[in-house]
């Protein structure tokens, strides 16, 4: 079940239609709710830690999660961050815009950044 839920994360990121298995629906919706409240650090998304999961569970007044539910949420979190990291790596590998080999002279500078005062 956990592997199937993780596969759904990748499928959804790829834009494929997904079908959540009935046995995993509750964990899927819990993860999606946690995922929307995720913090970032400027370099990417932070992981969902035990502290955040515990705080969310208490806020929602849910009973203690079963071990497989906690394992599923943590595995789905790792998969989600992995999928996002792949997207960033693809964007970094894209070819950069070509820079002109023409030297920047004062005439070229004036032509590009013309003064409005005459």
């Amino acid at each position: 079940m956990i592997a199937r839920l993780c596969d759904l994360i990748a499928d959804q990121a790829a834009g494929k239609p997904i079908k959540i298995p009935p046995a995993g629906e509750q964990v899927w919706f819990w993860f999606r709710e946690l995922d929307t409240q995720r913090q970032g650090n400027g370099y990417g998304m932070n992981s969902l830690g035990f502290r955040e999961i515990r705080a969310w569970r208490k806020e929602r007044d849910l009973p203690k999660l079963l071990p497989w539910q906690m394992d599923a949420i943590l595995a789905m979190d790792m998969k989600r961050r992995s999928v996002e990291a792949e997207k960033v790596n693809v964007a970094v590998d894209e070819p950069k815009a070509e820079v002109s080999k023409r030297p920047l002279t004062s005439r070229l500078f004036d032509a590009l950044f013309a003064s409005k005062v005459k």
Side-chain angles (χ1 to χ4, degrees), residues 10-82:
D11 291 347
Q12 187 178 46
K16 298 178 184 174
I18 61 169
K19 175 79 170 107
I20 303 162
E25 280 183 350
Q26 189 65 59
V27 174
W28 176 266
F29 290 116
W30 286 346
F31 173 74
R32 299 308 295 171
E33 186 172 334
L34 282 163
D35 191 42
T36 62
Q37 301 304 311
R38 181 190 305 271
Q39 300 293 315
N41 60 14
Y43 295 102
M45 57 179 67
N46 290 342
S47 63
L48 297 173
F50 291 109
R51 186 178 309 153
E52 288 84 8
I53 295 170
R54 186 180 307 115
W56 163 81
R57 182 181 58 80
K58 287 183 178 184
E59 183 68 29
R60 289 293 185 197
D61 199 25
L62 295 172
K64 186 175 179 180
L65 299 180
L66 298 173
W68 81 267
Q69 293 170 328
M70 180 64 82
D71 292 343
I73 289 172
L74 294 174
M76 292 166 72
D77 174 50
M78 285 190 289
K79 185 64 172 185
R80 171 90 162 87
R81 288 182 291 121
S82 171

